[in-house]
Amino acid sequence: MSKTEAAKSAQVVEGAVHVASVAGKSIALTRVKGTVQAFENKCPHLGLALSRGKIEGSAITCPWHGSKFDMCSGKNLDWVNSFVGIPMPDWTHGMISMGKKPAGITTFKASEKDGAVLVDL
Ligand code: FES
């Protein structure tokens, strides 16, 4: 494992996602209570980008079908419940999930040094 510069520290702010390409992977960077967090910019439901998701505290909600994840631990907090932001009734959730079981997101160790954000893939 090696640390790779993914962004400048100033580019990574609380409440927003900065997307960087590191070693061919799309990595999402944000801050939670001031600390940089890094996770794969890929929802485990259908593999779509999480970067435009809604952030609340340490959680991000996938903009496509509403699955929610903790950006620090990667833990799944909620599984598919909407369609492009439109809440869907409970009986549709099984169809929207398309057979995919709840899963977490991949997180990476992130640190800062000399004004740069380093990610350890
Ligand atoms: S792609 Fe994220 S919940 Fe479906």
Side-chain angles (χ1 to χ4, degrees), residues 43-50 62-69 79-82 96:
C43 180
H45 175 221
L46 296 180
L48 302 175
L50 283 167
C62 180
W64 304 102
H65 311 108
S67 293
K68 188 185 268 192
F69 307 93
W79 197 235
V80 295
N81 57 29
S82 60
I96 298 169

Side-chain angles (χ1 to χ4, degrees), residues 37-64:
Q37 304 294 334
F39 54 96
E40 193 169 13
N41 184 26
K42 183 175 164 184
C43 180
H45 175 221
L46 296 180
L48 302 175
L50 283 167
S51 54
R52 291 194 181 176
K54 182 179 177 187
I55 293 176
E56 295 166 283
S58 66
I60 188 165
T61 300
C62 180
W64 304 102

